[in-house]
Amino acid sequence: MYRVKIAVVALLMTIMSGIPVCAEDGDDSRLVRGLHYGLEVQASLSDGATPLWLNANKHGLSSLEAQNGYLRTSVCRPLEADSMRQWAIGYGLDLAAPVHYTSSVVVQQFYADVRWKRLLLSVGTKEREMELKDNELSSGSQTLGINARPVPQIRLEVPDYYTLPFARGWLHVKGHLSFGMMTDGKWQRGFAHQQGKYADGVLYHSKAGYLMIGKKDARFKAELGLEMAAQFGGTAHNVFLSDGTGQTIQGGRRFKDFLNVLVPGGNSEGQDVYLNVAGNHLGSWVARFSYETDAIALAAYMDKYFEDHSAMLFLDYDGYGKGPNWNRRESNRFVFYPMKDVMIGGEVELKRAEWLKKIIVEYIYTKYQSGPIYHDHTTTISDHLGGNDNYYNHYVYSGWQHWGQVIGNPLYRSPIYNSDGQIQVENSRFRAWHAGISGNLSNRFHYRLMATFQNGLGTYSQPFNRKRHNVSMLAHAEYRFKTKLQGWSVGGSVGIDNGSILGNNRGMQLTIKKTGVLGL
């Protein structure tokens, strides 16, 4: 296997060395103009597991093993190479040969992009940044985060804000729609030892829409958005039903099943009387309010997570009848839920400063989850209460994770930390405070510092026997060389975890990179 790794890396290094393997000069050479390449080697050494902020929010290219690392090589053509054209074409291949990871070879990115005017079609596996949050300092988005490996997908999007023609420049929209398939079925089988719950061939869906209010050159702007995602299809194994028996459930892959996740509907697998919509649905209401001057930029943002319509709309239906009409809606009666579970963040950017450039502070609360009681109406009790939302977990699928890392915010403890083979998030009810700063000590020396305090209760169904705490910190610095070493950089990081949620861990990480543009 190590020979395979070396061969893969050697092949891409040969391609990126500048050998003209593509078209000759002329119009046909357009597709190889603007090619970027990257070479990277990383090594991590820890006492205990890899600390949180050396592992998290790296698009899944990370490991908890005490000693781990990778060789990574990539070549890509960004869409900006065709910035002056109505049609733009981009593509990329990004491979890693890791040591002590969940895979022997990682295809981190492999994609093709086609843009026509403002509309973009993307096919393949691609790292995508978070919306409305700082991707370097934030703890992460709760729905569409940057913590797990990218999911291969077909994605149609308007990536940049489009100004609506009827609103005099005050309204702008963007968004996306995608379908894909998760690739961690083999890993799930091995991790669960085919004893606990696992799934393979699971399909993926995401959609999001954002509205910006304010002219693009205005000092004040408001951005409002809705992010939603779903897991469906595939085959779920060892799913335990209410009677204690386990079974295999085959999810649907027909056209109507795709429609049922596009617009949530249908019936959930393995249920009879109490029917939920098909698949595992989740999402976030997001918002960002920003004010900017020549010297400073201020922003406040919010991320309200939900896993069903009661948490999404803050109400649930409770107007069922009695006796023979116990399962029939007879009156307009509702249960209202407070908006307790939310991430709130603040951001300050000092434009004229260098040594302290950006500051963020975040507060995250997830303990409520629509309350501790899940009670559906019965033949004798007509009241309906829909709580115990069990964030990031699901009774059929292995939850909102990919290759053991949660797809959203990594403060929900990822399944890869579990030692019992259970693919589930064991700490989803928590309160956390997070802060980060970054700056430049010179025009080539960049740093960032992050610190997080968290207390957790476990889950409603499996609570911790006492409240647990955790402190995670990171110090990172990167130096970019000049003159003869142009394109080279070296970065070093130190991280620690203290507490009973992630354990007591100490670690360091060294990364050496070389980037440039190929002269084909």
Side-chain angles (χ1 to χ4, degrees):
M1 183 57 67
Y2 285 100
R3 292 180 179 177
V4 173
K5 296 179 182 180
I6 294 172
V8 169
V9 174
L11 175 60
L12 281 212
M13 290 180 68
T14 300
I15 294 174
M16 291 187 294
S17 65
I19 298 175
V21 296
C22 300
E24 298 177 355
D25 291 339
D27 292 339
D28 292 339
S29 67
R30 169 191 166 192
L31 295 182
V32 296
R33 291 174 183 167
L35 275 178
H36 290 65
Y37 71 88
L39 301 172
E40 183 176 325
V41 58
Q42 184 178 100
S44 298
L45 179 64
S46 301
D47 177 13
T50 303
L52 175 68
W53 296 123
L54 296 183
N55 164 72
N57 286 343
K58 296 189 174 183
H59 299 279
L61 192 58
S62 56
S63 171
L64 291 184
E65 295 294 329
Q67 300 177 15
N68 67 80
Y70 62 75
L71 293 172
R72 183 179 186 182
T73 182
S74 63
V75 60
C76 71
R77 183 179 193 268
L79 289 170
E80 288 75 15
D82 290 331
S83 60
M84 303 302 293
R85 299 172 180 264
Q86 286 191 346
W87 285 93
I89 297 176
Y91 52 83
L93 177 61
D94 182 359
L95 302 178
V99 177
H100 296 158
Y101 272 50
T102 53
S103 299
S104 298
V105 176
V106 176
V107 182
Q108 185 69 9
Q109 300 185 87
F110 185 33
Y111 64 91
D113 292 341
V114 178
R115 176 185 59 78
W116 178 68
K117 295 185 177 180
R118 296 182 177 87
L119 190 63
L120 171 63
L121 176 65
S122 181
V123 180
T125 304
K126 185 178 181 181
E127 295 180 351
R128 305 180 191 280
E129 299 301 292
M130 297 184 294
E131 298 282 354
L132 310 189
K133 299 179 184 70
D134 185 271
N135 281 264
E136 183 184 35
L137 296 177
S138 174
S139 65
S141 287
Q142 297 202 77
T143 298
L144 303 178
I146 57 174
N147 188 56
R149 287 195 202 174
V151 177
Q153 59 192 266
I154 299 174
R155 178 179 172 116
L156 187 65
E157 64 180 312
V158 178
D160 301 312
Y161 278 114
Y162 168 68
T163 302
L164 297 176
F166 55 81
R168 297 185 178 181
W170 280 86
L171 297 179
H172 323 267
V173 294
K174 67 178 180 179
H176 83 267
L177 174 68
S178 75
F179 285 95
M181 176 183 289
M182 295 182 163
T183 59
D184 64 344
K186 184 177 179 180
W187 173 85
Q188 288 196 35
R189 288 196 300 274
F191 188 85
H193 308 296
Q194 300 189 38
Q195 300 298 318
K197 183 175 64 179
Y198 66 97
D200 51 39
V202 176
L203 301 180
Y204 167 92
H205 166 64
S206 71
K207 52 182 172 282
Y210 307 91
L211 171 68
M212 183 170 73
I213 304 172
K215 293 190 175 182
K216 289 187 175 181
D217 58 351
R219 294 187 182 275
F220 177 80
K221 299 184 184 69
E223 296 173 85
L224 311 173
L226 175 61
E227 300 176 345
M228 297 185 68
Q231 296 166 297
F232 68 109
T235 305
H237 305 271
N238 299 335
V239 177
F240 287 91
L241 304 181
S242 57
D243 60 3
T245 61
Q247 70 175 31
T248 295
I249 294 178
Q250 181 66 54
R253 289 173 173 246
R254 293 172 295 180
F255 179 70
K256 72 172 186 178
D257 297 305
F258 284 78
L259 293 180
N260 284 335
V261 295
L262 179 64
V263 179
N267 296 326
S268 191
E269 300 86 351
Q271 292 190 343
D272 45 18
V273 177
Y274 303 113
L275 300 178
N276 295 315
V277 297
N280 177 28
H281 293 258
L282 48 98
S284 290
W285 293 104
V286 293
R288 181 181 176 93
F289 305 93
S290 56
Y291 178 78
E292 187 172 356
T293 69
D294 295 337
I296 192 171
L298 305 175
Y301 52 91
M302 178 272 292
D303 186 331
K304 170 62 181 79
Y305 183 73
F306 58 83
E307 287 224 359
D308 56 22
H309 63 274
S310 61
M312 177 182 180
L313 303 176
F314 312 111
L315 60 86
D316 201 0
Y317 185 82
D318 191 30
Y320 292 95
K322 298 181 179 180
N325 297 329
W326 72 275
N327 203 23
R328 180 180 299 173
R329 298 183 177 185
E330 290 191 341
S331 62
N332 293 323
R333 184 182 176 196
F334 298 90
V335 177
F336 291 90
Y337 299 87
M339 193 178 79
K340 287 188 175 181
D341 295 336
V342 66
M343 168 197 279
I344 300 174
E347 180 181 313
V348 178
E349 181 182 359
L350 304 173
K351 296 184 176 181
R352 293 175 180 171
E354 288 296 333
W355 65 273
L356 180 58
K357 196 72 175 177
K358 186 171 289 189
I359 306 168
I360 72 156
V361 178
E362 294 177 343
Y363 171 74
I364 309 170
Y365 185 96
T366 70
K367 293 182 180 180
Y368 179 55
Q369 302 192 18
S370 299
I373 300 174
Y374 179 79
H375 166 71
D376 219 322
H377 58 288
T378 67
T379 55
T380 57
I381 302 176
S382 60
D383 292 323
H384 170 88
L385 300 173
N388 192 4
D389 290 340
N390 203 6
Y391 290 170
Y392 282 33
N393 292 312
H394 193 255
Y395 80 98
V396 172
Y397 298 106
S398 302
W400 194 231
Q401 66 84 41
H402 196 216
W403 288 91
Q405 298 276 19
V406 297
I407 300 175
N409 189 294
L411 296 182
Y412 296 83
R413 202 181 85 159
S414 292
I416 201 170
Y417 284 94
N418 300 344
S419 58
D420 57 1
Q422 298 299 312
I423 307 176
Q424 61 183 9
V425 175
E426 295 185 351
N427 182 46
S428 65
R429 298 184 60 232
F430 63 86
R431 184 201 306 260
W433 293 262
H434 173 80
I437 65 174
S438 65
N440 302 304
L441 300 183
S442 71
N443 60 350
R444 296 189 175 274
F445 196 101
H446 178 74
Y447 78 91
R448 64 180 172 125
L449 304 173
M450 294 167 58
T452 308
F453 174 79
Q454 178 183 23
N455 59 48
L457 301 177
T459 65
Y460 277 128
S461 58
Q462 294 180 304
F464 295 150
N465 56 9
R466 59 180 176 82
K467 184 185 293 187
R468 298 186 183 182
H469 301 84
N470 202 83
V471 175
S472 296
M473 292 188 286
L474 169 76
H476 170 80
E478 180 179 4
Y479 183 79
R480 297 180 292 274
F481 293 91
K482 59 181 179 179
T483 60
K484 293 182 179 180
L485 293 178
Q486 184 72 31
W488 286 91
S489 66
V490 59
S493 304
V494 176
I496 67 169
D497 296 329
N498 276 334
S500 54
I501 295 179
L502 301 180
N504 298 322
N505 310 303
R506 307 286 185 275
M508 61 181 64
Q509 197 169 78
L510 177 67
T511 306
I512 300 174
K513 300 179 184 178
K514 172 66 170 77
T515 60
V517 179
L518 290 175
L520 298 183

